[in-house]
Amino acid sequence: MATPDVAPQFGAELKVFMVSHGVQWLDEIQQFYRERSAIEKEYAAKLTALCRKYQDRKAKKISTLSVGDTPTMTPGSLESASLTTWTTHLTTVEAHAGERDQFATNLLVQVAEPLKLAATQYEEIRKSHVEFHAKLEKERDAAYGDLKKAKGKYDGVCQEVEGKRKKMENSFDHSKPKAQAAYQQQILEMNNVKVGSTDPPEDRC
């Protein structure tokens, strides 16, 4: 039987991911993180827009809230405690939105993409395993076919030898040398067939 030129390398991972279901499962997981990343991105964008909207609204009202409608001092020289707290809160929420946006990016780069790459690699391993298995089966069947043909030919020659032997034993004395010569020639032919066969069957003659 011919040996394959290059045998695929199978590691312990193949025990878990040798079937397509495992690869599909990895794909589902990475798809989940992609969708979650999109949600996080959308949430961060809306949160940022909300903060900036209220930052603008606060800027328009800061003078009134700080010194009133009829100010007796310069606007901006005094800011109420509640306005300061509100400003801090908006800044904090906007910073949190930025963190969520970065988190969404990390989900893609550090989780979804590596999972996708792993699924692709395991799928290639699975395909290599299937192809290699099919190749081995084909070579095995071809070898069995050749062996069956050789065995059939060998069995046929054995039957001819047996026929010659019986003919020699039953021949009269005057024809026995000729029968013996035919018998020896048939044995020689049988041995030639046996030597020429690949992995010949056990001699049954």
Side-chain angles (χ1 to χ4, degrees), residues 7-52:
Q9 300 297 317
F10 304 133
E13 302 92 341
L14 187 59
K15 296 178 181 179
V16 181
F17 297 104
M18 65 182 301
V19 293
S20 59
H21 297 295
V23 176
Q24 292 172 0
W25 178 241
L26 272 182
D27 188 64
E28 284 191 17
I29 294 175
Q30 68 95 11
Q31 189 60 41
F32 165 81
Y33 282 106
R34 286 185 184 279
E35 292 184 17
R36 181 180 174 184
S37 174
I39 292 172
E40 293 285 354
K41 282 279 186 183
E42 182 181 2
Y43 172 68
K46 289 184 176 181
L47 205 57
T48 299
L50 179 66
C51 290
R52 291 177 181 176

Side-chain angles (χ1 to χ4, degrees), residues 37 40-41 44 95-110:
S37 174
E40 293 285 354
K41 282 279 186 183
H96 175 67
E99 293 173 356
R100 298 305 290 253
D101 184 78
Q102 183 59 48
F103 174 65
T105 300
N106 291 341
L107 283 178
L108 281 178
V109 176
Q110 299 178 12

Side-chain angles (χ1 to χ4, degrees), residues 71-97:
T72 58
M73 59 186 70
T74 305
S77 61
L78 179 65
E79 189 173 272
S80 65
S82 61
L83 195 58
T84 301
T85 302
W86 180 236
T87 300
T88 302
H89 179 68
L90 290 177
T91 302
T92 302
V93 172
E94 188 170 0
H96 175 67

Side-chain angles (χ1 to χ4, degrees), residues 143-157 193-194 196-201:
Y144 281 167
D146 292 341
L147 182 61
K148 186 176 181 180
K149 291 178 182 178
K151 182 178 181 299
K153 184 176 181 180
Y154 182 71
D155 288 346
V157 175
V193 171
K194 182 176 181 180
S197 301
T198 302
D199 192 15

Side-chain angles (χ1 to χ4, degrees), residues 170-187:
N170 295 330
S171 63
F172 295 104
D173 291 340
H174 67 277
S175 60
K176 191 174 289 292
K178 183 178 180 181
Q180 286 180 336
Y183 175 62
Q184 293 299 327
Q185 180 62 34
Q186 196 64 42
I187 290 178

